Structure formats: C-alpha cells, structure tokens
C-alpha cells in the first residue's frame, strides 16, 4: 500500500513539473497520448493485490495421559488376633434417682442440690494463729495461714475461709489439695463455703481450699523437695520443711476443729468413685460416716503420717473423701461430694439442708488392687461403680508391637471403686481397685494392709515400695 501511494505521488509531481516546464519554454503544451495516460493512471490507481490468509482454529487442548510405572505388590497373610475395642472414658455409675414419700409429701430428688451462692466474703487482715474467736457472727471471712518460708526467705501466705454461724456449735474443717495436683477438693470447698448462708449456720465451718500451695503452683502432688506432705502429720517444728509445714497447719488449724473431712482424688493417672476412707474401729469416726448419705465407705485405719490418721489420734474425728482423678475438675464427682457434705452438716445440726439419696451404698471392710502382668496399652472394660464377679474381664493390655492382648480378670467378686485411666503401663501396674465384702465387722484389720502403705513410709521402714497405689 505504501508503494502505490509513493508511485502516484511521483506521477502527479512529474505531471505538474512538465506543465510548469512547458510554460517556461513558451506555452508549448506537451500532449500526452490519452490511452497511454489513462493506462498509466489506471495502473497507478489500482490497489495492489492483498494476499488472503485462511484463519486456522486452534484445536481444543487435550489432557496429557500420565503413564505410571507398572509395579506389582505381593502381600503375605498376617494373622489378626482381634480388633482393639474403642472404650469410652471411664465414668462412675450413679445410683438411680428416686422419689421419696414423706407423710403425704412427695419430694423428687434429681441429683445434687442446686447451689445458690449467697455468702459475701469479708476480707480481714487476720492471721489464723490468732484463732477464730474474734470473728463476727454471721460472716464469711478470709484469714491467712503462713505455711513456712520460701527459698528466698519470705512467708508463704495461704488463704483460709471461715464461715462463722450466728449460734455457737461444732467446728467442721474441710481441707483440699494436701496433694497439689488434686483439684476437685479445691472446687468442693469453694462451692460449700460460698453456698452456705452464715446467718443460718450453727457453729463454724473452716475451709482450706489449698493446703499444699507450693505443690499446687507447680501442678505437682509433692512439695518442692519431692516430699509428700500427707506423710508428715502431725509434724515437727524442728524437722524437715514438710514436717514443719505439717506441724504449723496441724497446730493452728486442725486442733481447733471438732471434725475433719480431708478431700482427695485418685493418684498417678487413676480415678476414684466418690467414697469415704474411714477407720471404722473408732466409734466417733463410725458415727461421723453415718451422716454422709449415699457414699461408698471403705474401712481403712490410714497410713502413718496422714492427716486423717493423725487427727483421729489427736481426738478429732476425721475421714477422707475420695472423688475423681488428679489435674482435672470432675463436675459430677464434685456435685456428688458437695451433696454428701451438706448431708453431714445437717446430721451435725449445723445447717438445715435435707438431701435424699437413692439406693444405699455399701460399706467395704477390705479392698485389693488388681495388677497388669504385661506391659502395653491398658484399656478399661468396666466403669467405676460396676459390681463384678470372679473371672469378669476388667480390662485388657495390648502389646503395641506384636498386637498380643492380655485380659485382666477379677480374682474375686467385688465392686470397682477405683481404676487407672487408659494409658501405657508397665508390668505390675495397679490397674483396678476392688472393694470386697467381709463376713462381719469382727474381721476388721487393726492396721493398714500392704496395699495402703505409701512409698515414703515403706522406704523408711524398709518394707516395700507401693508408690503407685496410694491415694491418700
């Protein structure tokens, strides 16, 4: 197209130049042969031919086939012993709710009582060493007990809650977290203390949510020196750190009380059915257990150095209330325990709150631990509270490498009052705690059985090491 334009431009310019030249040379007109001129103009005016290009439509893309290498597999048959069962988390079995008929009045008891937190805390700059006599009637007061000294020489203030009734009466003490990893007792003390109305209380309730504050801060059962505080009561003012703490608490708090309930849970990845541990050979303790209502009772004189046994020797009736597992707040176990404590307060004529229970729970005069003979994955087959017969399967231990499974069988009839959580265990691990019946009370043992001796006492006496079996 550009060539054609240039050619036309040159032709017109030549024509104009010729005319101008003829004018200059004497008006002579150069005649141009008309056909030649027309042919020239036609040739110049004709557009050059344009090549026609056919449009080619691109083909649709096709997936590229992926060619995998040919591999052949050969399987050898492997014997399958049995698929591992999926076991729900262990739970304890509740007695069914019942309707109790009382002189024409129908009372339906649906589980634990609903709590209304009515108490108002009065902050008092008072040390428990000064005693409780100066507290105003009808108040809930926070006091301080100083549990020894820390590594840097400062005192360790531990809070104590005291509900002072409007009428004089007995003093009941509730202690939680003597083992620092046992959380249920802390919550039980809180619910009881803040749901009590001091204006309706007769006597005094002393609540110590966290006795072992140093262990609690470290999420540990023990004190920082690895001693078990519940093996050093009533303590010694010139002994070890644990013994001095025990002595301070026993003298400043326990000896000022008329009854004691020490709150605990299972130990070392175990859980317990809500139950009382009590020395039924002591008449005052036996009478105290009758006020709790629907709780399993296990006879146990208590290990040497425990808070419960030391209190009984000092003339203060005491029991241990076991419920749940460590490092976890079990709301169901806490509610059951709170209901039992209100039954006790009512029985002691300290606070009127009627609780009605379902099927009465039994009293066991003996117990035994059933152990695993193999190491591996322990899976429970029973729930807390289940009654078992001799030969019943309590759980299984499966080798994770060979898939060989061993059943743990009940050696005699009883009831599951404690059990290990699902976990990997070593051979000899105490997995299931059975409460067993005795013919009558005349066969009660005078001292703790070997299963109740804790490791610290056993090692000191050169007897045996039962570190993993003790709850208290």
């Amino acid at each position: 197209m550009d060539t054609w334009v240039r050619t036309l431009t040159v032709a017109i310019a030549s024509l104009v130049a010729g005319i101008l030249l003829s004018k200059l040379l004497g008006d002579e007109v150069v005649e141009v042969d008309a056909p030649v001129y027309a042919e020239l103009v036609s040739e110049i005016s004709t557009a050059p031919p344009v090549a026609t290009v056919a449009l080619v439509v691109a083909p649709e893309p096709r997936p590229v086939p992926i060619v995998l290498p040919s591999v052949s597999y050969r399987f050898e048959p492997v014997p399958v012993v049995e698929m591992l069962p999926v076991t729900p988390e262990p739970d304890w079995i509740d007695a069914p709710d019942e309707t109790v008929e009382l002189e024409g009045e129908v009372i339906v008891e649906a589980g634990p009582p609903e709590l209304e937190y009515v108490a108002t805390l009065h902050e008092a700059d008072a040390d428990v060493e000064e005693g409780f006599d100066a507290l105003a009637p009808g108040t809930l007061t926070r006091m301080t007990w100083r549990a020894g000294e820390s590594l840097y020489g400062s005192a360790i203030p531990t809070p104590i809650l005291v509900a002072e009734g409007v009428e004089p009466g007995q003093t009941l003490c509730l202690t939680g977290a003597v083992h620092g990893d046992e959380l249920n007792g802390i919550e039980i003390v809180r619910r009881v203390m803040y749901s009590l109305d001091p204006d309706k209380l007769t006597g005094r309730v002393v609540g110590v949510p966290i006795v072992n504050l140093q262990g609690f801060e470290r999420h540990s059962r023990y004190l920082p020196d690895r001693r078990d505080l519940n093996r050093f009561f009533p303590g010694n003012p010139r002994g070890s750190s644990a013994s001095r703490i025990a002595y301070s608490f026993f003298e400043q708090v326990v000896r000022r009380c008329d009854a004691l309930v020490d709150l605990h849970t299972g130990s070392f990845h175990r859980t317990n059915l809500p139950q009382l541990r009590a020395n039924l050979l002591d008449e005052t303790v036996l009478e105290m257990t009758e006020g709790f209502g629907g709780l399993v009772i296990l006879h146990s004189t208590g290990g040497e150095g425990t808070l419960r046994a030391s209190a009984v020797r000092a003339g203060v009736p005491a029991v241990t209330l076991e419920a749940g597992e460590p490092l976890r707040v079990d709301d169901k176990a806490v509610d059951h325990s709170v209901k039992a404590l209100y039954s006790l307060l009512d029985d002691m004529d300290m606070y009127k709150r009627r609780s009605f229970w379902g099927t009465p729970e039994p009293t066991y005069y003996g117990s035994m631990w059933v152990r695993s003979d193999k190491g591996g994955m322990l899976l429970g087959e029973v729930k807390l509270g289940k009654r078992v017969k001799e030969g019943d399967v309590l759980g299984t231990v499966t080798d994770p490498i060979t898939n060989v499974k061993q059943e743990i069988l009940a050696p005699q009839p009883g009831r599951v009052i404690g059990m290990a959580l699902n976990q990997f265990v070593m051979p000899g691990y105490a997995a299931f705690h059975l409460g067993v019946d005795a013919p009558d009370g005349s066969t009660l043992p005078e001292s703790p059985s070997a299963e109740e001796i804790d490791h610290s006492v056993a090692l000191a006496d050169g007897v045996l090491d039962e570190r993993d079996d003790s709850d208290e």
Side-chain angles (χ1 to χ4, degrees):
M1 192 70 175
D2 292 342
T3 303
W4 177 80
V5 172
R6 284 196 301 271
T7 304
L8 179 62
T9 303
V10 171
I12 294 174
S14 300
L15 180 61
V16 173
I19 295 173
L20 293 176
L21 182 62
S22 65
K23 290 290 185 180
L24 294 175
L25 295 178
D27 295 329
E28 182 178 356
V29 178
V30 180
E31 293 185 4
V32 180
D33 188 14
V36 175
Y37 176 77
E39 183 180 352
L40 178 63
V41 172
S42 175
E43 181 181 348
I44 296 173
S45 301
T46 303
V50 178
T52 303
V53 180
L55 296 178
V56 179
V57 180
E60 295 183 1
R62 297 179 180 178
V64 178
I66 300 175
V67 180
L68 297 177
S70 176
V71 180
S72 61
Y73 295 92
R74 190 163 149 201
F75 294 93
E76 295 293 336
V78 178
V80 177
V81 179
E82 186 177 345
M83 294 294 290
L84 294 179
V86 178
T87 305
E89 181 180 355
D91 197 2
W92 51 279
I93 301 174
D94 246 344
D97 295 331
E98 292 193 353
T99 300
V100 182
E101 188 170 341
L102 258 180
E103 297 181 357
E105 178 185 8
V106 177
I107 301 175
V108 178
E109 185 66 19
E114 294 185 3
L115 298 181
E116 181 181 358
Y117 299 111
V118 296
T120 301
L121 182 64
H122 172 64
E123 297 280 354
D125 187 17
D127 198 300
V128 73
E129 189 175 6
E130 301 171 3
F132 308 125
D133 295 337
L135 298 179
T139 60
L140 175 64
T141 305
R142 173 179 173 173
M143 303 184 72
T144 301
W145 162 59
R146 305 194 183 280
E149 295 183 355
S150 65
L151 292 172
Y152 45 86
S154 64
I156 304 173
T158 303
I160 291 180
L161 304 175
V162 183
E164 188 72 17
V166 293
E167 297 292 338
Q170 300 184 74
T171 298
L172 173 65
C173 182
L174 309 177
T175 56
V178 172
H179 293 133
D181 62 346
E182 298 181 356
L183 309 183
N184 281 344
I186 303 173
E187 178 63 4
I188 292 169
V189 172
R190 183 193 72 84
R191 293 189 189 184
V192 170
M193 298 305 296
Y194 280 96
S195 59
L196 280 174
D197 186 350
D199 291 329
K200 300 178 181 179
L201 177 65
T202 298
R204 179 187 299 121
V205 179
V206 179
V208 190
I210 309 171
V211 177
N212 183 1
L213 187 60
Q214 297 178 77
F216 171 76
E217 291 174 342
R218 297 167 53 250
H219 309 288
S220 172
R221 175 183 176 91
Y222 303 110
L223 292 167
D225 61 359
R226 289 292 297 169
R227 284 188 170 92
D228 187 336
L229 178 59
N230 206 30
R231 297 299 177 268
F232 289 90
F233 290 102
N236 184 341
R238 302 182 62 83
S240 65
S241 174
S243 188
R244 295 180 186 216
I245 293 172
Y247 178 82
S248 172
F249 184 75
F250 201 84
E251 295 299 318
Q252 296 183 30
V253 179
V254 177
R255 289 194 186 274
R256 292 189 169 109
C257 300
D258 300 307
L260 170 71
V261 180
D262 191 19
L263 304 167
H264 284 266
T265 72
S267 62
F268 304 107
H269 310 293
R270 295 181 180 86
T271 183
N272 282 330
L273 183 76
Q275 60 191 266
L276 292 178
R277 306 279 177 86
N279 182 2
L280 302 181
L281 297 173
D282 188 291
E283 291 295 332
T284 59
V285 175
L286 178 61
E287 181 181 355
M288 182 180 177
T289 61
E290 295 171 353
F292 279 89
L295 278 181
V296 170
I297 301 173
L298 174 62
H299 167 67
S300 167
T301 56
E304 186 69 28
T306 60
L307 177 57
R308 170 170 69 93
S310 301
V312 172
R313 291 191 186 98
V316 180
V319 298
T320 297
L321 200 167
E322 294 272 353
E325 64 189 80
L327 293 174
R328 177 174 175 259
V329 176
D330 186 336
D331 190 65
K332 192 173 182 181
V334 169
D335 278 342
H336 197 85
S337 303
V338 170
K339 180 180 177 181
L341 288 173
Y342 268 111
S343 294
L344 176 64
L345 287 169
D346 183 78
D347 187 73
M348 295 175 67
D349 295 325
M350 295 179 63
Y351 199 83
K352 295 300 179 185
R353 182 190 285 262
R354 302 178 67 186
S355 296
F356 296 91
W357 300 83
T359 305
E361 295 287 2
T363 297
Y364 295 106
Y365 297 107
S367 67
M368 66 178 304
W369 280 99
V370 184
R371 299 175 181 273
S372 168
D373 291 331
K374 301 289 184 181
M377 169 62 79
L378 169 67
L379 295 175
E381 297 284 347
V382 293
K383 289 186 176 182
L384 283 175
K386 181 176 178 58
R387 291 174 173 83
V388 296
K389 304 184 298 294
E390 181 179 353
D392 284 354
V393 177
L394 302 177
T396 60
V397 176
T398 304
D399 188 310
I401 307 302
T402 65
N403 201 34
V404 175
K405 182 169 63 176
Q406 178 217 22
E407 292 182 337
I408 301 177
L409 306 179
Q412 64 181 83
R415 189 178 184 191
V416 181
I417 60 175
M419 62 184 293
L421 305 175
N422 291 344
Q423 59 188 289
F424 279 91
V425 300
M426 297 288 290
Y429 188 78
F432 299 93
H433 195 193
L434 299 183
V436 295
D437 295 320
D440 53 57
S442 61
T443 61
L444 297 185
E446 294 288 344
S447 60
S449 66
E451 297 289 341
E452 297 170 339
I453 300 177
D454 191 79
H455 62 103
S456 59
V457 178
L459 290 176
D461 295 341
V463 183
L464 75 168
D465 182 359
E466 290 290 344
R467 171 174 177 169
D468 62 339
D469 302 339
S470 176
D471 294 322
E472 289 188 62

